[in-house]
Amino acid sequence: MSTAISISGLVKTFGTTVALDGLDLEVRTGEVHGFLGPNGSGKSTTIRILLGLLRADRGQVTLLGGDPWREAAALHRRLAYVPGEVALWPNLTGGEVIDLLARLRGGIDHRRRDDLLERFDLDPTKRTRSYSKGNRQKVALVAALASDVELLLLDEPTSGLDPIMEAAFQGCIGEERSRGRTVLLSSHILAEAEALSDRVSIIRAGRVVQSGTLSELRHLTRTTVVVSTERPPDLIGRVPGVAHVVHEDGRVSFDVDTDHLDDAMDYLAPLKITSLVSHPPTLEELFLRQFGEQVPTEETVG
Amino acid sequence: MNAMSAFTGVGPLVRFVLRRDRVYLPVWVLSLVVLTYVSAAAVRRTYDTPVEIASYAVNMGTSPASIAMGGPPVALREIGGILIYETSLTVLLGVALMAVFTVVRHTRKEEDAGRVELLGSTVVSPHAVITAAVLVAAGASVLVGAGVTWSFLVEQQPVRESVLFGAAVAAMGIVFTGVGACAAQVMSHGRGAVGLSLAFLGVAFGLRAIGDVGENAWSWLSPMGWSQQVRVYDDNRWWPLALSLVLTAALLVGTVLFEGRRDLGAGIVPSRPGPPSAGRTLAGVVGLAWRLQRGAVVGWVVGIWSMGLLLGSFSESIQNMIEDNPTLAEYLQRAGVTNIVDSFFATSLLLLGIGASGFAVASALRTRSEESAGRVEPLLATGVSRARWLFGTLLVTLGGTTLVVASGGLGVGMSYALTTGRSSEMWRMTGYALVYLPAVLLLAALVVLLVGWLPRASGAVWVAVALCFVVGWLGSLLELPQWAADLSPFTHVPAVPAVPADDLALGPVLTMLALAVAALAAGWVGFRRRDIG
Ligand SMILES: Nc1ncnc2c1ncn2[C@@H]1O[C@H](COP(=O)(O)OP(=O)(O)OP(=O)(O)O)[C@@H](O)[C@H]1O
Ligand SMILES: [Mg+2]
């Protein structure tokens, strides 16, 4: 089977709120798929439907080849989930929760559990009541990563982690990928999705507005160029596809649509380039382009 | 910190609390006041001749069981004394429960939900949250007291007595406001704070019951005793209420000290490190539910068992009283009571059964509270199906309820066995207590029905429990119409052992069991098809 998750035309409403409005999403087996979107765009709702916790109003959802609503319990043995808001039983210790969740999922790899506890620097003897948000999240992460499953559904798993733990997390996801596991990673942290994801889907107001590999998405967007030339590039703003031109002490920076990159270079080359820095857009920029004000509306509607 | 900054933010917080409780508090206050008013009116109707009043004094005022419930028999030769004797148990316990629930709800439970942290980051002083909760709960207690005074005035009682009784009721509420506030600091979560406060209330009730029946100083150890030692219509003394205020002040000082010494989210009782890995029992849904509820089960078993023990211990004095008092025996015979000890046991088992439904409903409601706390989601995301989770959790409710119901009968039976020397009484009474089990389970099943279809309204079953109590404890006094009394499942339980066991009308009991199963099934149908969260 080459698709782990396939969703088409998914609609979910809560009263008058339309949380998902015809969402399409495909996650291939073995890939790490970044699921990005602003607050309230429907990431958690999508994941909850995938888990059979919410009932879809309309649309087709296939998870690991099965129907997530009807075959929930059987499918869940093959996946692990880390919720965005980790709520734990205050009287249980972290270690107890990890074991409990893993047992309910069908077993735990003890070596891996101990290894993960060490990597995430988590004290399993503390009652979860006294854990910080980040530590509660680590409990859910260790429980999920220590289980032998095909698919990981991670809903903003690192929103409470410090940078060191974030790095540990990225290391773990890398290992999961090399073991051939599929990961759906919803995130706000663009650098994280950028570092980990094979492909990303960007969701907004309950619809996926962009989907593809990072290079495919970059293709749709602009490259930022900072250049110095011997003769001043006064007319750079007239080159098609160029925007956001800023002149500052002899240098000029501008954004250019990837399709028109060669036009810009054709214009600049005769002016004698002395230095040139260009970088592809970071996911951050993709994100801002997608949702920020500076982008014309017809582009955001996608 | 100066006085100005100590109370910064209290005003807006009080308004915020009142807004959130705009239904909750009026329901509490009005039900307590209306109940008092209706009971008082009923008492005046029932005891309207001097002869009736005189026989009340002889019969009720000497019965240890009714003293244990109603308080010291003060001025029972006049209607005012009877009014207080008949109404004080309900209103005193009611106002205390209201105060405890209100305070804990706005302090510890809010903190558990992480909302205090949010408030703490705004401009409020460190003690503002607790101060606001205490002000609201104490204010509500005063309102209940004022309502009680009003009820008595409407029933043409003298002003001084009416005001004093109202003040005694308010004082009870105020003391338990302090108890709740203090418990909210000591315990590390809301449920524990309520549990500790209720244990305190149980002890306060028990101490004064022992003291009142034995006519000794034990009553003075109990804040509930102080509210009764004002002896309205007799000594009319105010000073016992000063004890209530002193205790409240001490509790509030303790609250502030404790709050200053603990961290947000923690209790004064520190949580010790626990096992680094799960034991063998924590392996499934049932194991988890048992782990989460075992403390409550043990607490309720001990509480109901002690109440049973206490009630059972009065059986001997009831027997003696009948033997010493031929007029009473005759009076009871006319009233259709053939065996007073057995009918006393029947009443005791009924009250214990209604008490046990407190556990049953609270336990069944765990299904909802776990869900809204977000703790069901991670479980259902594992190999656990919805059916396994719901029924596994409810299995603990079933087992726990059975234990709690049985423990009441066991307590009564143990006392009785000690006085009679017949150890078989223990098992006989336990068996009788279990006759009430289907009625108790029906209430729990009602919770499941609501959890399936109207999860947000599932707490409404507490109203049903309160109704069962009113019907069971005050029903005959209030002369409720039969249809109203019939609403309570407990009305349909045969009054064992007053009704002989061979006449045991098992029909209604089996019907209730069937209804409970039907409600459970209907609840499941709703639960399996709705959204979780
Ligand atoms: N149980 C619910 N009842 C009503 N509305 C809901 C419910 N759950 C989600 N919503 C609404 O659906 C929309 C999508 O919410 P969702 O939680 O899926 O967003 P999200 O992308 O996960 O956001 P975040 O990044 O903040 O976690 C929001 O408008 C939210 O208010
Ligand atoms: Mg979310």
Side-chain angles (χ1 to χ4, degrees), chain A residues 90-91 127 129-130, chain B residues 108-109 111-112 183-193 196 262-271:
Chain A
N91 273 327
R127 311 266 169 201
R129 175 188 310 122
S130 50
Chain B
R108 197 72 230 192
K109 291 209 166 143
E111 203 173 308
D112 293 350
Q185 308 307 313
V186 173
M187 302 305 277
S188 50
H189 54 123
R191 221 183 297 279
L196 182 64
R262 71 184 182 91
D263 296 330
L264 197 64
I268 269 292
V269 180
S271 51

Side-chain angles (χ1 to χ4, degrees), chain A residues 12 48 76 81 93 103 113 125, chain B residues 274-276 278-279 377 380 531:
Chain A
K12 176 71 189 175
R48 287 204 179 99
H76 292 172
Y81 165 55
T93 63
R103 282 172 186 177
R113 172 192 189 269
T125 65
Chain B
E377 199 175 290
L380 292 183
D531 290 346

